[in-house]
Amino acid sequence: MAMACERKKILWLVLHLLMVVFVKGAPQVPCLFIFGDSLSDSGNNNDLATVAKANFKPYGIDFPFGPTGRFTNGLTTIDIISQQLGFEEFIPPFANTSGYDILKGVNYASGAAGILGAVVSLGLQIAHHRVIVSRIASTLGSMNKAQEYLSKCLYYVNIGNNDYINNYFLSQLYPTSQIYTPHQYAQLLIQHLEHNLLDLIDVGARKLVIVGLGLVGCTPNSIRTFGTNGSCYEEGNEAVSIFNSKLVSLVDTLNFNLSPYSKSIFIDSTAVAIANTNAPGFTVSTVGCCVTGWSGECIENEEPCNNRKEYVFWDDFHPTEAWNQINAINSYAATNPSFVHPMDIKQLVDQQVNIMLPEFPHHFKTHLTTTSAL
C-alpha cells in the first residue's frame, strides 16, 4: 500500500513537470541567475585549465545538444527548474553569452568551485555578475532601471559541496580537518558565504534560492573511499549537516534583517534525498552509470549503462537527470514542507519586495555579520 502511494506521488510529480515544461507563455520571473559548482555548471569550465570538465561523451548523452559541459547525462536540476519557471531556452553560461539575451539571465556556476576557492570561486562568480549587471544597466539606460528590473529576478545559489569533498575530507592533501573542528569549519564557510550573499544583494539580488548540501557521504566516491562494506561515510554526512543547520540560521537572519527588501529560501537537499531513498524506479545508488577514471568523472567515450533512469548517480559525484528531476520538482513545488524553508520556489517568485537604491545594502553589512545567529 505504501509503495503504491509512493508510485502515485512520483507519477504525479512527473506529470506536473511535463505540464510545466510544455505550457507556453512568459516566464514567472524575467531572469534567472545561477551560481554554484558542477551540479549547475553548463559549460563555464570548457576552456579553463582544469580537469573538472564535462564537454565530452558520454556526458550529455541524453541532452538535446549533446555534451555542453554539464556534469550529467542530461538536464541539471537548475535546467529543470528553469523549465518549470517557464523559460523556453536554457540559461547560457557566462563563458559564452554571445548571441543570448542576458536580460533573461546568466549561469556563472563552475565545476569544482567552492565557497573558499578553487577554479571559479563563488566570489569570482559574483564579480562576473557585476560585469553583467553593468551591461544590463547600459542596455536599460541606468543603474536604477537595472535595479528595478533585477529585483524581480531569481537568484539560485548551490555551492559548498567541494569545500568538503575536495578539501575538508582530503586530509592527505589539506590540513583543514586538523585545523578546524566540523563546527568551526562550517562556521568559517557560513561567514564567507554570508559576505558573498550580501555582495550579491548589493548588486540587485532580491529573491534568493540557497540550496543546502546533500548527502556527500553517500556519493559513490565517498562510499568507495571512506565507507565500510558499501555503506555511506556517515562522519562526512554529519559534518555537512552542521553546515546545513547554520545555513538555515543564515537564511533566517537575512530574512529578519533585510525584509521587506529581499527574500531568501533554503532548499534541504538532504531531506529530499532521505525521503526518496526508496523512490520507485531507482535500483542503483552506490555506483555511477558511466565508467569512471581516477578523478571520479566519466572516461571519455566509454559506453555508459543503458538503464540510466534506474541510477541515482551518473558518475562518482553527480546525479543522473532522473534524480535531478526529483530535486527540481521538490525545490520548485515541495511535496513535503520539510524540504524547504520557509517556502518553495513557486511561492518565492510571487513574493513582493521593495526596491532599494544600489547603496542601501551597505548599511546592513556590519549589522548582519555582528548579529547573525551562527
Side-chain angles (χ1 to χ4, degrees), residues 38 41-48 50-63 65-74 111 290-304 308 314-318:
S38 53
D41 192 352
S42 60
N44 283 309
N45 279 19
N46 291 354
D47 296 322
L48 299 182
T50 174
V51 297
K53 296 183 180 183
N55 57 338
F56 55 86
K57 293 181 179 179
Y59 288 104
I61 191 171
D62 299 313
F63 191 73
F65 310 115
T68 57
R70 288 168 168 82
F71 289 75
T72 186
N73 60 304
C290 73
V291 180
T292 57
W294 65 269
S295 67
E297 296 180 12
C298 300
I299 296 176
E300 188 169 356
N301 292 323
E302 286 285 341
E303 194 71 23
R308 294 185 278 279
W314 170 242
D315 57 19
D316 284 353
F317 297 99
H318 307 98

Side-chain angles (χ1 to χ4, degrees), residues 21 29 48 110 113 116 119 133 139 147 165 168 203 217 240 261 283 292 314 330 332 336 338:
V21 169
V29 290
L48 299 182
S110 168
L116 294 182
V119 193
V133 170
T139 299
Q147 292 285 317
I165 295 172
Y168 197 72
V203 287
V240 164
Y261 302 101
T283 60
T292 57
W314 170 242
N330 283 294
Y332 176 76
N336 186 318
S338 68

Side-chain angles (χ1 to χ4, degrees), residues 102-179:
I102 61 171
L103 288 176
K104 293 181 179 178
V106 174
N107 186 339
Y108 306 95
S110 168
I115 297 171
L116 294 182
V119 193
V120 185
S121 67
L122 180 57
L124 185 53
Q125 291 178 35
I126 294 172
H128 290 164
H129 181 59
R130 288 182 181 273
V131 174
I132 294 296
V133 170
S134 295
R135 288 172 57 185
I136 290 175
S138 296
T139 299
L140 297 180
S142 72
M143 184 58 73
N144 282 343
K145 288 182 179 179
Q147 292 285 317
E148 181 178 0
Y149 180 78
L150 293 171
S151 69
K152 304 170 186 175
C153 302
L154 195 68
Y155 293 74
Y156 179 89
V157 182
N158 186 355
I159 199 164
N161 292 286
N162 290 314
D163 292 286
Y164 285 92
I165 295 172
N166 293 333
N167 189 322
Y168 197 72
F169 296 161
L170 293 182
S171 57
Q172 69 273 28
L173 297 178
Y174 303 100
T176 318
S177 59
Q178 280 78 51
I179 298 173

